[in-house]
Amino acid sequence: MIVRIDDDFDLKKIADSGQCFRFNECADGSYSVSAFGRHIFVSELEDNRYEFGCSKEAFETFWKDYFDLDLSYKDIRGRIDPEEDPYLYSASEYGKGIRILKQDPWEMLISFIISQRKNIPAIKASIEKLCRLAGDVMCEDERSGVIYSFPTPDRLAALSMEELASCSLGYRDKYVHQAAMDVASGAVDLYDWKDLEDQELMDKLMSLYGVGVKVANCEFLFGYHRLDAFPKDVWINRVLDLKYPDGFPFEAYAPYNGIMQQYLFFYSRMDGLS
DNA sequence: AGGCAGGTTCTTA
DNA sequence: TAAGAACCTGCC
């Protein structure tokens, strides 16, 4: 179906923003998006219109929420004062169109456990191998090739350590295995955690094997859509050190600091940070 | 060849 | 409690 979107919405920037690893541009310029065992192609048309390769019902009940289309990122961006915070303003102009997707906490947990000390292409490669090994075919199309679903906790927990090792997880294989066992066994119920208070949720996440401050904050932001979370990776730390020596004004942007983090992260990777 | 990449755990003081 | 080392793998 065709949808007109007047708010910030840039498929390429979202795909490259580092929050998602199975959101890819296809040969024809459309984007392949996978989430919660579903898959669609989305294409940009003229005049802020987009074609979503799904029914109106699927769009209204699922994808609209997935893309967080009820929240005005334009308004949130408008809070940034170019005089007060020129660096963030530049970053937000550059990153205009980024949105925080409402992704699956299970997929995000495993994805960000894998992400530690890896660059984005390496993260994507590992996840792709996992999906081929333990996911199901969701789509087979010449523009995208075969698309597999993200493995369920049961399927991932059933993989041997040799199979996990074949996905280039390196020393993270034991973290992934443990997380899969915890969730598959029911000892950890990620979906049940969504109603927890911030601090309690953060404590639970930090208690997982292989999950430290950075990964927990990514899970918090991208898996639970807690938009005030502000994950600090090497890029963000460089920005904070160089551009915010007196501290980042978190209070000015609450409860949306996570969106500001995305602009800063996206911008920092091209800025050179001199 | 040696260093580093969207960190975390483990060990040692 | 805090600093330092070790860790898989792939790519400069």
Side-chain angles (χ1 to χ4, degrees):
Chain A
M1 71 171 300
I2 293 173
V3 182
R4 184 187 167 107
I5 298 173
D6 289 314
D7 194 33
D8 296 1
F9 190 71
D10 188 312
L11 293 165
K12 181 169 181 53
K13 290 180 189 173
I14 294 169
D16 293 340
S17 65
Q19 62 177 296
C20 48
F21 305 103
R22 300 191 317 117
F23 188 127
N24 297 308
E25 185 170 7
C26 301
D28 67 345
S30 65
Y31 284 80
S32 164
V33 185
S34 307
F36 294 94
R38 297 171 184 243
H39 176 268
I40 50 166
F41 292 105
V42 185
S43 321
E44 182 172 1
L45 307 174
E46 302 288 307
D47 305 320
N48 295 337
R49 291 176 309 127
Y50 295 83
E51 176 160 16
F52 286 75
C54 64
S55 66
K56 182 175 185 356
E57 211 232 324
F59 177 80
E60 292 295 340
T61 61
F62 183 79
W63 294 108
K64 183 179 176 185
D65 185 59
Y66 181 76
F67 285 100
D68 200 20
L69 290 176
D70 287 327
L71 183 64
S72 174
Y73 283 68
K74 193 175 177 178
D75 287 351
I76 292 168
R77 208 161 33 76
R79 289 197 191 184
I80 305 166
D81 185 333
E83 304 289 325
E84 285 289 321
D85 199 340
Y87 189 79
L88 180 58
Y89 183 76
S90 300
S92 70
E93 285 293 305
Y94 183 74
K96 184 191 304 182
I98 293 175
R99 312 180 71 78
I100 312 277
L101 304 173
K102 291 191 181 174
Q103 301 188 79
D104 184 347
W106 159 245
E107 179 172 343
M108 289 300 95
L109 176 65
I110 299 300
S111 297
F112 283 101
I113 284 175
I114 291 171
S115 79
Q116 58 189 260
R117 278 184 75 79
K118 270 179 179 283
N119 55 31
I120 291 176
I123 299 164
K124 284 184 156 186
S126 282
I127 292 172
E128 178 62 24
K129 287 178 189 171
L130 275 181
C131 293
R132 293 183 72 94
L133 202 57
D136 295 316
V137 174
M138 277 192 296
C139 169
E140 201 161 354
D141 186 292
E142 61 180 24
R143 58 187 147 167
S144 64
V146 182
I147 307 281
Y148 296 85
S149 60
F150 192 81
T152 62
D154 284 340
R155 293 283 297 280
L156 202 56
L159 293 181
S160 66
M161 293 310 285
E162 288 71 27
E163 287 173 310
L164 286 177
S166 75
C167 297
S168 305
L169 301 180
Y171 62 87
R172 309 159 193 80
D173 57 0
K174 55 186 181 292
Y175 304 154
V176 170
H177 178 71
Q178 186 61 52
M181 295 293 279
D182 288 344
V183 176
S185 71
V188 165
D189 187 340
L190 296 174
Y191 302 113
D192 204 42
W193 288 5
K194 73 175 169 45
D195 298 319
L196 294 176
E197 296 295 317
D198 285 354
Q199 189 55 53
E200 197 178 351
L201 175 59
M202 187 57 74
D203 291 344
K204 294 262 194 194
L205 294 174
M206 290 284 295
S207 74
L208 299 172
Y209 187 43
V211 176
V213 176
K214 160 62 168 59
V215 172
N217 272 281
C218 286
E219 172 73 345
F220 205 71
L221 177 57
F222 304 124
Y224 289 94
H225 207 68
R226 308 261 173 140
L227 296 180
D228 209 35
F230 194 91
K232 293 176 184 171
D233 51 50
V234 293
W235 293 96
I236 289 295
N237 282 328
R238 277 174 213 158
V239 172
L240 295 182
D241 287 348
L242 290 168
K243 306 296 180 183
Y244 297 92
D246 299 322
F248 186 76
F250 292 107
E251 59 291 343
Y253 306 118
Y256 299 114
N257 281 294
I259 295 172
M260 305 310 168
Q261 188 271 6
Q262 281 287 278
Y263 293 139
L264 292 174
F265 176 71
F266 191 72
Y267 190 48
S268 69
R269 292 171 64 214
M270 61 71 66
D271 185 39
L273 288 176
S274 51

